[in-house]
Amino acid sequence: KVKNMNYAELKELMKNQKEEMTSLERVKAYNEGKEVDYLPFMLHAPDFAMANIFGYTTMEYNRDFEIRIKVIEEMRSRFGIDSMSIGLSLRALGAAAGSKLYFPENGIDYVEEHILKDYRDMGSLKEIDPRKDKGLSSILETAKRLKDKFPDMNITTRAAGPISTAVAIRPIELVLKDTRKNQKELHELLEFCTRNTLRWFEVFKEELGPVGTSFSDPVTCMNVISKTQFDEFSLPYIKKLIEGAEKIMGRKPGSHICGKTSKIWSDLADAGLSFFSVDNCEDLREIKEVVGDRMQIAGNVPPVDVMLYGTIDDVIESCIDCIGKCADSPKGFILATGCQLPIGTPEANIDAFIYAARKYGRGARKGEMPKGMEEA
C-alpha cells in the first residue's frame, strides 16, 4: 500500500496500465457475465466538474456547443469516458411548466420562483411539448447534434423522479404539507409530473432512437420524507415511470437517490429498477445483501469528503473499500461516486479513481471479486 502518493508518482504508475476494452465493450461484456479487463466505473454527472478542469465555466459549457464538444473530446481522450447522458436536470420540467430558474455563471441552477403556489392555479399548468418548449427543444437539438458529432459514443437520457419534479413546480415546504392537507391535489400534480417525464422519453426516442434511461430523485430519500409518505406519494409514480420507460425504450431505467434509502431498497428492486446508484451515507455491503440479487448496484466513493477534499491516497483507499464490499454482488457492481462529481474536484483525484478501478478492479466478472483485489 503506497502512502502519501504524489501526482507525479500516480501518473508514472498509470503509464503501465493498459486498457483492453472501450467502456462500452467493457460494460456489455460484464453484463453478459464475461470477464473484463477491469471493473466498469462511473463518475456520476461529471460534466460541470470536467468543464472547470478544462478551463470553462458551467454557463459556457451549457450555452456554447463548440465548448461542449471540446469538453466531451477531452473527457474521452483524457479519462476514457465515451458515453453521454443528455436530458433533464432536476428542475428542467419545472421550468417548462413555468417556474423561473436562476443559472449562475459557474454552478448548478436553482428555482427562483415556483409557478404553483396555490392549487387554484393547477388548471393553468399545460401539458409540456418538448419540441415546442424553448428549453427542452434546445436540449433535444443538442442531443441530435452530439449524436451526429460522436456517432460511436453511447447516449442515454435522464430525468428527475416524480416527487423531485414536483418540488420544481411547487415549493418543497408546501409539497410536504400537501402530504397531510392537500393529498388529492398532490396526487394530481404527481400524475402531471410522471406523465410529462414519460413524454420526454417518448420524444427523445422519436428523435434519437431507443436509449437507456435513468432518473434522480433526491426528495424521495428518508432524510426528506417518511416511509409512509414514500409509499403513498412517491412509490406509485416511480412504478409508473419505470413501467412507462420500459414500454417506450424497451429496457428498464436505473436511478440515483441521494441520502438515506435503506428502508426503500426492496421497494425499488420490486419496482424493477435495472440499477441503483446509492449515496455514500449508506453501506454497500448492506445493500448487496438486501437487493444485490435483484438489481445492479453502483457506488459509492464520497464525492465531497474524498473526491473534492481528499488526497490521492484517500481516493484509492475509498475505491478499494467500495470494491471489497460490493464487487461480488450477484447482479453486478459499478464503481461510482456517491453522488454528482463536485465542481472543483482535482484532476489528480479523478486519475486516482481511475487508477484504482483499473488496478483493484482488474479481471472483474459479475458476481465475483476482481482478481486485482488480491493486491489490496
Side-chain angles (χ1 to χ4, degrees):
K1 210 159 51 166
V2 180
K3 289 293 184 183
N4 300 316
M5 187 188 296
N6 62 45
Y7 199 13
E9 291 170 330
L10 177 64
K11 285 184 173 179
E12 195 61 33
L13 288 170
M14 293 186 79
K15 287 180 182 178
N16 298 320
Q17 292 182 321
K18 295 180 180 179
E19 290 193 327
E20 300 166 16
M21 300 174 159
T22 66
S23 65
L24 292 178
E25 292 169 341
R26 184 176 303 112
V27 169
K28 183 175 185 294
Y30 180 77
N31 287 335
E32 290 172 352
K34 299 173 183 176
E35 184 174 309
V36 295
D37 54 350
Y38 62 85
L39 192 68
F41 73 82
M42 176 178 69
L43 293 161
H44 191 75
D47 305 58
F48 288 171
M50 292 289 186
N52 274 208
I53 284 172
F54 302 132
Y56 305 105
T57 66
T58 57
M59 188 171 288
E60 288 171 332
Y61 174 83
N62 279 329
R63 293 187 176 178
D64 191 318
F65 185 72
E66 293 304 316
I67 286 177
R68 183 174 291 217
I69 286 175
K70 289 177 183 176
V71 171
I72 292 170
E73 288 174 337
E74 287 284 351
M75 286 169 63
R76 178 159 64 171
S77 63
R78 180 69 184 79
F79 298 112
I81 298 171
D82 56 4
S83 61
M84 296 179 283
S85 178
I86 308 165
L88 308 182
S89 72
L90 292 173
R91 291 157 288 277
L93 271 185
S99 293
K100 293 181 181 178
L101 305 190
Y102 177 78
F103 296 88
E105 180 67 32
N106 201 47
I108 298 171
D109 61 73
Y110 60 86
V111 179
E112 205 168 41
E113 186 175 350
H114 292 81
I115 185 65
L116 187 65
K117 294 175 182 174
D118 190 321
Y119 276 122
R120 286 178 291 187
D121 299 325
M122 186 77 180
S124 65
L125 290 182
K126 297 178 181 178
E127 295 300 306
I128 296 166
D129 186 340
R131 291 189 177 92
K132 293 182 179 178
D133 178 80
K134 184 178 178 182
L136 303 189
S137 62
S138 175
I139 297 170
L140 273 177
E141 184 61 28
T142 296
K144 288 189 284 186
R145 292 174 69 187
L146 288 173
K147 185 177 180 180
D148 290 341
K149 178 68 178 177
F150 302 103
D152 59 328
M153 290 182 73
N154 182 46
I155 291 181
T156 60
T157 192
R158 65 184 183 273
I163 199 166
S164 293
T165 298
V167 302
I169 295 173
R170 182 166 169 81
I172 187 169
E173 62 273 15
L174 296 183
V175 169
L176 294 177
K177 288 179 182 177
D178 292 339
T179 63
R180 301 188 309 274
K181 297 183 177 181
N182 299 298
Q183 297 180 349
K184 177 177 176 291
E185 292 85 354
L186 179 56
H187 279 296
E188 290 176 6
L189 176 58
L190 292 166
E191 287 281 3
F192 174 88
C193 295
T194 308
R195 187 169 61 247
N196 283 280
T197 300
L198 289 173
R199 181 61 183 149
W200 167 260
F201 288 160
E202 286 174 355
V203 172
F204 200 94
K205 181 193 174 184
E206 290 165 5
E207 297 290 340
L208 286 96
V211 301
T213 59
S214 64
F215 62 93
S216 295
D217 204 2
V219 179
T220 209
C221 75
M222 299 296 96
N223 304 73
V224 180
I225 60 176
S226 68
K227 181 64 167 63
T228 301
Q229 289 170 316
F230 171 82
D231 289 342
E232 181 171 355
F233 297 101
S234 184
L235 182 58
Y237 303 99
I238 285 177
K239 287 180 176 178
K240 288 184 180 182
L241 191 59
I242 292 171
E243 291 166 3
E246 183 181 21
K247 185 176 180 180
I248 294 163
M249 296 294 188
R251 51 184 133 165
K252 294 176 180 177
S255 180
H256 172 74
I257 299 175
C258 303
K260 300 294 288 184
T261 52
S262 59
K263 291 181 181 179
I264 63 174
W265 289 340
S266 291
D267 295 306
L268 296 173
D270 290 343
L273 278 184
S274 62
F275 74 87
F276 182 59
S277 166
V278 64
D279 194 307
N280 53 278
C281 67
E282 295 287 16
D283 184 75
L284 285 174
R285 185 176 286 111
E286 184 182 348
I287 188 172
K288 176 185 71 175
E289 292 169 354
V290 175
V291 292
D293 60 339
R294 290 192 283 160
M295 61 182 176
Q296 194 166 87
I297 297 165
N300 67 355
V301 174
V304 177
D305 292 348
V306 173
M307 294 302 298
L308 181 60
Y309 294 124
T311 65
I312 288 171
D313 294 311
D314 292 334
V315 175
I316 294 171
E317 287 297 315
S318 184
C319 289
I320 292 171
D321 181 61
C322 291
I323 294 170
K325 286 181 175 178
C326 204
D328 58 353
S329 190
K331 288 291 185 180
F333 173 66
I334 300 169
L335 179 65
T337 48
C339 195
Q340 181 170 359
L341 189 68
I343 293 171
T345 296
E347 187 173 1
N349 284 357
I350 296 173
D351 273 329
F353 182 97
I354 296 170
Y355 166 79
R358 290 173 178 169
K359 180 176 176 67
Y360 300 102
R362 178 179 56 80
R365 188 192 297 271
K366 184 163 65 174
E368 299 178 8
M369 197 56 62
K371 295 175 180 176
M373 282 298 285
E374 295 169 5
E375 301 180 51

